[in-house]
Amino acid sequence: MRRWSLTAIVALLFVVVLLPLDHPARTDQTGSEKAAAPVRFDRDIQPILARCVLCHSPGKAKAGLRLNSRQTATAKLESGNRAVVPGEPGDSELLSRVVTAELSQRMPPKGEPLSNAQVDKLRRWIAEGAEWPEHWAYRPLQKPDLPATPARNPIDRFVNQKLAEMRLTPTPAADRRTLLRRLYLDLTGLPPTAAEMDAFLGDKAVDAYERVVDQLLASPRYGERQARHWMDAVHYAETHGHDQDRPRENAWPYRDYLIRAFNDDKPYARFIEEQVAGDVLFPDDPWATVATGFLATGAWDESSLRDIREDSIDREIGRNLDRDDIVTTVMSTFVSTTVHCARCHDHKFDPLRQEEYYGLQAVFAGIDKANRPYDLDPKVAARRRHLVEQEARLQRRGEAFERALREPAVQAEVAAWEKEAGATVVKWQVLEPAECKSEAGATLTRQPDHSILSGGTRPEKDTYTVVAATAVQGITGVRLEVLTDDTLPHKGPGRQDNGNLHLNEFTLTAAPRADAGTAKPVAWLSASADFDQQGWTAGKAIDGDPATAWGIFPQVGKPHAAVFALKEPLPNTAGTTLTFRLQQTHGGGHLIGRFRLAVTTAPQPAVGTALPEPVAAVRAVAPADRTDRQRAELAAYVLAEKLNRERASLPAPSLVYCGTSTFAADGSFKPTATPRPLHMLQLGDIRKPGPLVKPGALTCVPNLSYRSPAEADNEGTRRAALAHWLSDPQNVLAWRSIANRVWQSHFGRGLVDTPNDFGRMGSAPTHPELLDWLAATLQENGGSLKKLHRLIVTSDAYRRSVQNLAACAAVDGDNAYLWRMNRQRLDSESVHDAVLQISGKLDLKMGGPSAKQFIQTPGPHVTPTLDYQNFDVDAPANFRRGVYRFVFRTVPDPFMDSLDCPDGNQLTPTRGASVTALQALALLNDKFIVRQSEHVADRIARTQTGTEKQVAEAYRLILLRAPTAKESTAVGAYAEKHGLANACRMLLNSNEFMFVD
């Protein structure tokens, strides 16, 4: 038996992996054959004019010529001539300029002149009347009649008709093993298991295939697969990108929304609306708020949008670019339109005006990318929303509301509160000026009102200390007051940044003034605080939630206090020194706010916190003697306290990183109360503002307009109006776009192979009638994407083999007309997940925070240092599906990157599928593959003994078939020499595993 060396095996493997696919180059027709074909504007003329519009477009109309429409092309020029005179080539200036021998007059002025064939096309086109049809993408959507070509699936009628026109012969159907593997990988991103393959091959029922299709569409794995496609299209990642690539710990709920939406087969119109304005249109559905994570999938420039001055030009540039990213994502994803090309001037090729681009920017002029709180429990969400609305009414205090506060029912609540609180008003004595210090040496500044404001660089661990002396006898309670500061956002109090600062220890000690060294802890019976953060205890009360880093929620901008009722009064024979320590044990932030100590001798010091002075003054007046104004003031305070208590009793909200105006300020990065005014910029220059623009959409879509009520114009109504414009059945771009994307997910290429560009510079559909039929059928089926998937995968076109037919390849080498199935390589997540499934290590847990498959350590800059190489390959995080992997924009996973995992900075409507030596090396040497190969071998060894049986089982698990006699001999010899794990690794590196079929 011949034994192969490892070097020989590797060399052979490179040859196998790098073999070119069986895709012969396209064979073009001769020039004479093309000349004989009818002239078509989209196919023959538009590519020629693409060179001309560089100088003759709406943004740069040299000599007054614009070649963006038939109307402008046939209009009079500055010279009085016409570039195109339909039916008269001899009178057409365009034609004379492209054929002239005078170099100063020849067009185009630079580069190679037009070829004779191109000139001939232009001449014939003008002679035939210069037909310039409306662009296919903007035509009204009408469901075409089915072709007469017989087929059981309507899709095949369109495809087969085109094949007949092109005289192409389709390949036969793929074998059942190949077909099942293709179906599983397409719909779930996982191959079938060996048991599932055996069951299918043994099922002889005529509907066996269709039943598997239904089973896979109902599988939770379906949503995970489709979500990954969508995440590519919208450049989802979980870090900010740019120079400060800070992680977004709350981006993942949007990913979970996508998986849930696809699995639930959410109607596509609703799917659009939720992602653009779900929080506005469906306020009772918390997942609709999570869906707006779509608006924040792109990068975010922390330096420009948070760290520099609010009134700087760089901040405005940053905002303009950030809105551009949102507009680009929305319009490229939902309507396959390159509207962002109109940022500096009217679109050179498509009927998109610069004003329309800025109108779309205006739609999003009231939101930013930030963490937004939400409640998954709809009842909690509704209750919190009601409380927020009540608080807003309370702050507005209109005349009608003032009258309501004096109603008997409300005053009865006030009376009950007064009775419960007791008749004694606790009076507090502010202590003498305090000594303030930081044990770790942070800078502390004394304040004139005996409080402190912390600043400077925060250490990893520190204890703030406030010391005060008092001569008060019999102290029964101590109050720590947290004051506001007009220099802070929202007046504070809070903390400086979004680090992990938690004040998790309050310690109070007392000592005789003359002997501070004998200080002893002071015990208290109870503590209450009106600055508890969403139900946190007093021990973690000072703004422990990153969502509200600049103010104690919910009463932002108001003083707050914690009251400690002592177990027994403090003796004070010669004065007492009180020391209050606030221990911070986690790095990442420092306190900002002003703190003050006070004491009382009241018998019930903890019966509630100190009342504001105006409220205390009203309470001191007998109820019968109070004025209407005083009654309303006291009722407002009681109602506010009631709302605060109820808010505090609710569960802490979750957070999602999304496009929102509901977020806590972070330094100078603050939400805007109303949409920011937006100007059209000359040449896109922020320093050259033009007229103000109103929110709007595109006018090129027939029978459809952007409708937002002017009387209720706010950022929410703007987004809602755009969401309705996008999802409208009349929006032909949106429905054609998604039909094309679904088709692409199965064939590797759309019917339009520029899925983000349906404009004139994009590709024309190879099967325009089929595309319209699919889009119209999707609408008729209520926007059910599952039904569309089912229709496609049950077609004959989908089930064809990848076999190459030389005669067909000579005519259609790119397989544009679908005479065979396109051969596709497994994408990076499918490779990762399939290997885990084969090894038996795949963790199918769904949802939750993303798996960090790297070692993360703080670096000198904001972006953490990531170590993928030394991460434990057997860590549980490594066994999650690829869709749950934490994705950094600037520090990609080298293994996934080698397999063409997309760059999170770019919209990726179509993944690359390279075949490189680097991939072969990664599949041979990466620690993940090496370790999983060992797990596969261990799995096999547990059930099979003897090399021949083990090799057979390896083929069954990895390639889903039995080995041939030759393969069994060769791989068996290799396994005996180098071990079963290395043999498994070789099979995982084979083309048969790495390609769908």
Side-chain angles (χ1 to χ4, degrees):
M1 180 184 296
R2 180 180 179 184
R3 294 186 178 272
W4 293 0
S5 69
L6 181 59
T7 302
I9 289 292
V10 172
L12 177 61
L13 189 55
F14 272 111
V15 173
V16 172
V17 171
L18 299 180
L19 279 176
L21 299 181
D22 192 11
H23 290 177
R26 168 182 282 179
T27 302
D28 286 334
Q29 295 169 298
T30 65
S32 60
E33 288 173 327
K34 287 184 177 180
V39 177
R40 272 179 36 192
F41 178 82
D42 55 349
R43 183 190 64 195
D44 302 318
I45 304 305
Q46 186 174 311
I48 300 174
L49 298 183
R51 289 184 65 184
C52 306
V53 295
L54 296 176
C55 298
H56 301 287
S57 65
K60 192 178 182 181
K62 286 192 174 182
L65 173 60
R66 293 187 297 163
L67 289 172
N68 61 311
S69 70
R70 188 177 193 272
Q71 180 181 1
T72 59
T74 58
K76 275 190 177 182
L77 305 174
E78 294 171 355
S79 63
N81 298 325
R82 287 182 169 85
V84 175
V85 180
E88 302 292 339
D91 296 336
S92 298
E93 184 78 4
L94 174 64
L95 194 61
S96 64
R97 285 299 188 98
V98 299
V99 299
T100 182
E102 183 70 36
L103 290 180
S104 63
Q105 300 294 315
R106 177 178 66 82
M107 295 293 157
K110 297 179 181 179
E112 292 294 322
L114 298 187
S115 67
N116 291 336
Q118 289 174 317
V119 172
D120 183 61
K121 288 178 183 178
L122 281 175
R123 180 180 289 107
R124 291 174 55 212
W125 172 63
I126 295 172
E128 292 170 4
E131 179 192 15
W132 197 312
E134 181 183 17
H135 188 58
W136 66 267
Y138 309 124
R139 296 171 192 159
L141 181 61
Q142 295 179 341
K143 190 174 184 180
D145 294 333
L146 292 175
T149 309
R152 57 185 180 80
N153 187 306
I155 288 173
D156 294 312
R157 292 196 180 193
F158 292 98
V159 174
N160 292 344
Q161 180 186 54
K162 183 69 68 174
L163 292 176
E165 290 174 2
M166 302 299 295
R167 298 181 180 180
L168 294 168
T169 303
T171 62
D175 63 82
R176 284 167 63 84
R177 184 188 73 86
T178 298
L179 191 55
L180 190 73
R181 189 168 187 265
R182 179 190 300 172
L183 186 65
Y184 264 76
L185 286 165
D186 270 8
L187 291 181
T188 71
L190 289 167
T193 64
E196 288 167 337
M197 178 62 76
D198 291 343
F200 177 69
L201 296 179
D203 190 344
K204 303 305 181 184
V206 293
D207 64 342
Y209 179 81
E210 287 75 11
R211 283 189 285 107
V212 172
V213 170
D214 293 336
Q215 170 194 329
L216 296 180
L217 289 173
S219 167
R221 311 284 81 81
Y222 162 83
E224 292 169 336
R225 176 62 169 171
Q226 305 313 314
R228 185 59 262 180
H229 286 315
W230 193 263
M231 290 155 67
D232 283 2
V234 302
H235 62 1
Y236 171 90
E238 295 175 78
T239 59
H240 286 335
H242 293 280
D243 58 324
Q244 300 192 59
D245 199 15
R246 190 188 299 274
R248 298 172 177 173
E249 302 296 347
N250 300 299
W252 60 266
Y254 173 67
R255 177 210 63 213
D256 284 2
Y257 160 80
L258 291 175
I259 295 170
R260 180 188 180 99
F262 284 118
N263 278 333
D264 290 347
D265 199 19
K266 189 178 292 291
Y268 186 65
R270 170 92 181 222
F271 185 63
I272 295 175
E273 292 164 358
E274 288 181 347
Q275 292 182 80
V276 176
D279 56 327
V280 181
L281 296 173
F282 313 106
D284 294 327
D285 182 356
W287 283 103
T289 295
V290 176
T292 58
F294 165 79
L295 301 173
T297 52
W300 187 74
D301 189 351
E302 182 175 299
S303 297
S304 297
L305 297 173
R306 191 197 73 170
D307 296 340
I308 61 176
R309 284 174 43 191
E310 166 67 24
D311 59 350
S312 66
I313 194 73
D314 287 341
R315 176 65 67 91
E316 285 303 312
I317 292 172
R319 284 201 183 113
N320 185 41
L321 294 176
D322 199 51
R323 285 192 299 267
D324 177 75
D325 174 77
I326 296 174
V327 169
T328 300
T329 303
V330 171
M331 303 305 285
S332 296
T333 302
F334 288 125
V335 292
S336 300
T337 301
T338 58
V339 69
H340 48 284
C341 294
R343 193 170 85 189
C344 301
H345 46 70
D346 289 350
H347 202 293
K348 288 183 178 294
F349 308 108
D350 300 328
L352 309 173
R353 294 179 289 114
Q354 187 185 17
E355 182 181 0
E356 293 175 328
Y357 166 81
Y358 282 100
L360 287 164
Q361 272 219 19
V363 171
F364 303 105
I367 65 169
D368 293 281
K369 297 171 182 174
N371 287 317
R372 174 178 182 159
Y374 71 98
D375 296 289
L376 268 180
D377 185 335
K379 293 182 179 178
V380 174
R383 189 59 193 161
R384 196 186 304 276
R385 188 167 60 252
H386 172 74
L387 295 174
V388 170
E389 292 169 355
Q390 289 293 98
E391 287 173 352
R393 290 185 63 205
L394 190 58
Q395 291 176 0
R396 289 194 298 268
R397 294 277 293 278
E399 183 178 341
F401 194 70
E402 286 278 340
R403 289 196 301 270
L405 290 173
R406 299 193 296 270
E407 291 292 328
V410 177
Q411 289 300 310
E413 283 193 54
V414 173
W417 172 79
E418 289 191 90
K419 182 178 180 180
E420 179 183 348
T424 303
V425 177
V426 177
K427 296 185 181 299
W428 295 92
Q429 178 178 335
V430 176
L431 302 187
E432 296 298 319
E435 174 190 351
C436 310
K437 66 180 182 179
S438 164
E439 293 182 0
T443 303
L444 300 179
T445 304
R446 290 284 299 277
Q447 298 296 310
D449 58 356
H450 327 312
S451 59
I452 63 173
L453 175 67
S454 68
T457 303
R458 290 296 299 124
E460 179 66 22
K461 181 175 181 179
D462 193 12
T463 302
Y464 293 101
T465 306
V466 182
V467 182
T470 180
V472 174
Q473 302 285 328
I475 296 172
T476 58
V478 180
R479 186 180 74 198
L480 172 66
E481 195 170 1
V482 187
L483 304 178
T484 60
D485 187 324
D486 289 341
T487 66
L488 300 177
H490 300 307
K491 297 185 178 182
R495 68 173 184 276
Q496 194 269 343
D497 61 26
N498 281 334
N500 297 320
L501 174 63
H502 297 293
L503 300 178
N504 58 7
E505 184 177 334
F506 288 150
T507 304
L508 176 65
T509 61
R513 179 179 292 183
D515 189 6
T518 61
K520 296 180 180 179
V522 176
W524 53 74
L525 284 170
S526 61
S528 63
D530 69 348
F531 56 89
D532 275 9
Q533 179 67 43
Q534 290 294 345
W536 286 31
T537 63
K540 294 184 179 179
I542 301 180
D543 195 22
D545 189 337
T548 55
W550 281 110
I552 294 171
F553 188 80
Q555 292 197 4
V556 176
K558 298 181 180 180
H560 301 277
V563 178
F564 300 86
L566 309 185
K567 281 190 174 182
E568 55 187 38
L570 287 179
N572 189 340
T573 55
T576 299
T577 297
L578 294 171
T579 302
F580 222 121
R581 287 186 174 87
L582 316 176
Q583 186 170 11
Q584 181 262 322
T585 58
H586 300 282
H590 61 271
L591 296 177
I592 283 188
R594 298 185 299 152
F595 302 87
R596 187 167 60 190
L597 289 179
V599 295
T600 185
T601 59
Q604 293 177 304
V607 173
T609 56
L611 296 176
E613 290 183 8
V615 176
V618 172
R619 237 190 114 191
V621 178
D625 297 332
R626 293 170 185 165
T627 65
D628 284 348
R629 180 68 177 173
Q630 288 175 326
R631 290 190 182 93
E633 284 295 326
L634 193 55
Y637 176 80
V638 172
L639 179 57
E641 290 300 297
K642 179 180 178 182
L643 293 174
N644 287 340
R645 288 194 301 273
E646 188 165 355
R647 285 271 293 262
S649 69
L650 295 176
S654 301
L655 295 174
V656 60
Y657 191 83
C658 64
T660 180
S661 60
T662 304
F663 63 95
D666 182 8
S668 63
F669 176 54
K670 309 173 188 176
T672 177
T674 58
R676 300 176 179 97
L678 203 69
H679 296 263
M680 191 163 70
L681 305 179
Q682 299 178 40
L683 297 178
D685 190 343
I686 201 74
R687 299 171 184 82
K688 298 178 180 178
L692 282 169
V693 294
K694 295 181 180 180
L698 307 182
T699 57
C700 60
V701 181
N703 306 316
L704 184 61
S705 60
Y706 171 92
R707 298 191 275 292
S708 180
E711 66 278 6
D713 181 43
N714 56 59
E715 83 82 11
T717 58
R718 292 180 180 192
R719 286 189 291 119
L722 181 62
H724 285 140
W725 182 89
L726 290 165
S727 65
D728 194 289
Q730 296 296 322
N731 195 326
V732 294
L733 290 170
W735 295 93
R736 286 180 175 128
S737 176
I738 187 58
N740 188 61
R741 290 188 194 278
V742 173
W743 184 273
Q744 174 187 296
S745 72
H746 296 295
F747 288 88
R749 184 174 68 182
L751 296 169
V752 181
D753 67 4
T754 53
N756 274 17
D757 186 4
F758 279 9
R760 293 193 181 276
M761 295 308 292
S763 298
T766 55
H767 300 72
E769 296 82 7
L770 173 57
L771 180 61
D772 280 8
W773 188 88
L774 292 171
T777 300
L778 178 62
Q779 286 186 345
E780 290 174 354
N781 288 334
S784 169
L785 296 180
K786 284 190 176 182
K787 289 183 179 179
L788 186 57
H789 281 290
R790 190 183 195 281
L791 192 63
I792 292 172
V793 300
T794 55
S795 68
D796 290 341
Y798 176 80
R799 292 194 261 194
R800 290 190 179 116
S801 73
V802 297
Q803 176 185 350
N804 185 58
L805 301 177
C808 293
V811 176
D812 180 24
D814 286 343
N815 190 36
Y817 299 112
L818 304 169
W819 49 273
R820 61 174 170 83
M821 176 48 107
N822 294 314
R823 177 175 284 133
Q824 300 176 63
R825 205 205 69 211
L826 270 66
D827 60 32
S828 53
E829 287 85 359
S830 293
V831 172
H832 173 272
D833 297 352
V835 170
L836 285 173
Q837 178 173 280
I838 293 166
S839 72
K841 296 295 184 180
L842 182 62
D843 179 1
L844 292 177
K845 184 182 88 171
M846 297 182 67
S850 295
K852 295 183 177 180
Q853 299 170 348
F854 47 77
I855 300 171
Q856 178 177 331
T857 56
H861 306 291
V862 173
T863 303
T865 300
L866 304 186
D867 182 356
Y868 291 97
Q869 180 61 29
N870 292 310
F871 183 72
D872 182 5
V873 290
D874 281 330
N878 238 0
F879 301 152
R880 297 290 305 277
R881 284 204 71 177
V883 71
Y884 297 114
R885 183 176 59 91
F886 194 100
V887 179
F888 260 83
R889 292 189 196 275
T890 60
V891 194
D893 182 328
F895 176 69
M896 303 295 276
D897 193 41
S898 72
L899 295 172
D900 302 309
C901 193
D903 180 356
N905 291 296
Q906 303 294 326
L907 301 175
T908 308
T910 305
R911 283 202 185 189
S914 62
V915 180
T916 67
L918 182 61
Q919 293 169 358
L921 288 170
L923 289 163
L924 281 172
N925 301 314
D926 189 86
K927 288 177 64 177
F928 171 76
I929 294 293
V930 171
R931 183 61 176 141
Q932 292 308 312
S933 297
E934 293 170 350
H935 287 310
V936 175
D938 290 343
R939 179 184 179 186
I940 294 171
R942 287 195 296 269
T943 61
Q944 303 295 332
T945 58
T947 301
E948 184 177 352
K949 290 182 178 180
Q950 289 178 340
V951 168
E953 184 67 5
Y955 267 81
R956 179 174 175 269
L957 292 176
I958 298 171
L959 302 182
L960 300 171
R961 65 174 176 85
T964 64
K966 186 177 180 180
E967 289 171 333
S968 180
T969 300
V971 176
Y974 181 79
E976 288 179 354
K977 182 174 182 179
H978 300 289
L980 182 59
N982 282 331
C984 292
R985 183 153 49 115
M986 183 182 65
L987 292 179
L988 291 173
N989 210 331
S990 65
N991 273 356
E992 188 171 345
F993 174 75
M994 286 297 297
F995 285 82
V996 176
D997 51 11

